[in-house]
Amino acid sequence: MTNPLLQDTPLTDFAVVRPEHVTPAIDALLAEANAALDHAVGPDVPPDYDALSMVLEVPVERLGRAWGVVNHLAHVADTPELRAAHAENLPKITEYYTRQGSDERLYAKYKAIAASPAAAQLSPARRQALAHALRDFRLGGADLQGEAKTRFMALQDRMAELSQAFSNHVLDATDAFAHYATAEELAGVPADVVAAARAAAEAEGKEGHKLTLHFPSYFPVMQYAQNRALRETLYTAYVTRASELGVAERDNSAVMRELLTLRAEEARLLGFANYAEVSLAPKMAGTPAEVLHFLRDLAQRARPSAEKDLADLRAFAAGELGLTELQAWDLAYAGEKLKEARYAFSDQEVKAYLPLPKVLDGLFHIVETLFEVKIRPAEAPVWHPAVRFFRIERAGQVVGEFYLDPHARPGKRPGAWMDSARSRWLRVDSHRLQTPVAYLVCNFSSPVGDKPALLTHDELTTLFHEFGHGLHHMLTQVDEMGVSGIDGVEWDAVELPSQFMENFCWEWDVIRRLSAHVDSGEPLPRALFDKMLAAKNFQSGLQTLRQVEFGLFDMRLHTEADAADRVQAILAEVRQEVALVPVPPFSRTAHTFSHIFAGGYSAGYYSYKWAEVLSADAWSAFEEEGVLNPETGRRYRREILEAGGARPAIESFKAFRGREPRIDALLRHQGMA
């Protein structure tokens, strides 16, 4: 039987991919990639950009795409068999990329290209890709020799294993919890959430209503359940996941300690003072001190708003809800009640107007209007019946394609993300243009009965956020591998297009078009939208401090010499410095902080706020010139989206905005000006 992971087809046949395909495919593709690397560093291949690309790019791209499929399925369709296949092959994959990235012979050839007169003749995109390659060789250990290089390669293997273990522990701890609540316990919880919980229990042949720690189940209970004991039960389970307070084999304590220790050792091997300096080398921010100053300055600006937010919440909770001692499991509930009282609407009321099919129509209309494309449903094999596939076209030509996997389910990691299934690339072997394909993954509630899935307004902004990443990946016009789409974009600028898209969720003309009541079909009433707008910056001060808290914690973990032994203590110190809301001593937030322990955000979580300055300032151009102005959209598309990583992000920003970024727009948008 043909192995689908070895098929050189435009799209993977997900319907037939099985765990037993993984090892044979990866072994075959690794053999090809290793042979290509050995050829590339040999005497037959001159230090010439085209010659090296011809030898290396095709087998490395094939390997990356196949492993990308395996990695993707491990995130959205986890099974014991797939997890075992992933774990078996992860060390081999890590070893190959570490070997390629640290090969001093290949590094020497790229240095020779950069030093030759021919370098000046390279296209701007190729010059940028070459500069990135040289930087990445240095960060990849190519300057190391002997025992230092051997140790560096061993570190990469072990850190990859640890990151995967961290992620598995979070997923398993999330999946393992269930609480079967009575109807009485669920007083106040929205009917659609109760119905979904009842259906989940029925599917298992159980009585009651199955509540889980997956966000569409967990958060509405925290927001709406009148039963304080139920909220405390779920909160306690949620914040102690994957910690020493739960099942030992899912405890991430030792994983975090070892990861931080090994990252610090990697930094020393590369000649850096700490891992944060390694992380910042390819980013916009220059030093850890610059990031710490940025975060603390933002905290200082947000603190007056946050103090008022908390005082208002405490006064309301004591006076109206009888909660004189506000606990962590009361915050979402009291906040929702205060919002309802102050602005006379609830998230649940808004949710009835945001059925997913209508939302998608509205989102696609914005993209089509501003960026001069058409989005059409298309056919492709998928990994789950809920997944849909779409094609983006301009003037009848395919620009990009994407899979949309919207709903939460067991075996799917929590959160939302965009990932690359395939990058735009002018293939060196055939000179044929390969168009990009994206995975867009969310964890929304599933449809119940004959009703479509409904989104909260927060989930609406999540969808727009991930679609922004997707547009950055799919609308690129750069043909050079490594700097097309999101590839090569500085990590602290990569959130610009995603956060930019969130702003549309606060525009009346947009909301009117993408809303339709699930029963009547009526668009969201203007009066309700005005209440939402008035509540837009509700608790924005507290939310900003929360993001600063995460960013400071992350940066301190990766700069301080004793951090591996003081994870919980550092988090407590950061909270003492910036947080206003007390957290129970049993909270183990760090143990599920996948962004920095299993994602790409280690010593980079500050990027969300850093990029928010850029995105808010970019959005202000649309406020000035018209939110759906095609001229502004065309300029944004050409200077930001199409440019990808082919030039520094600050150059792309200035090409669009005509000046350096300013923080004013962010403060104004969040009501903190």
Side-chain angles (χ1 to χ4, degrees), residues 413-451:
R413 278 161 172 71
W417 63 90
M418 190 287 295
D419 203 358
S420 166
R422 186 177 79 200
S423 295
R424 181 181 168 105
W425 174 40
L426 187 61
R427 294 182 64 103
V428 291
D429 53 344
S430 64
H431 298 288
R432 181 172 53 82
L433 181 65
Q434 173 176 289
T435 53
V437 181
Y439 301 120
L440 295 172
V441 184
C442 298
N443 269 282
F444 304 144
S445 301
S446 295
V448 178
D450 59 355
K451 302 275 178 151

Side-chain angles (χ1 to χ4, degrees), residues 476-499:
T476 185
Q477 290 295 295
V478 178
D479 298 338
E480 187 64 29
M481 187 185 289
V483 290
S484 79
I486 60 170
D487 294 332
V489 177
E490 297 97 318
W491 199 262
D492 41 9
V494 83
E495 296 294 333
L496 189 170
S498 53
Q499 292 171 340

Side-chain angles (χ1 to χ4, degrees), residues 163-174:
S163 289
Q164 188 60 35
F166 187 97
S167 184
N168 289 342
H169 292 166
V170 174
L171 175 62
D172 292 345
T174 304

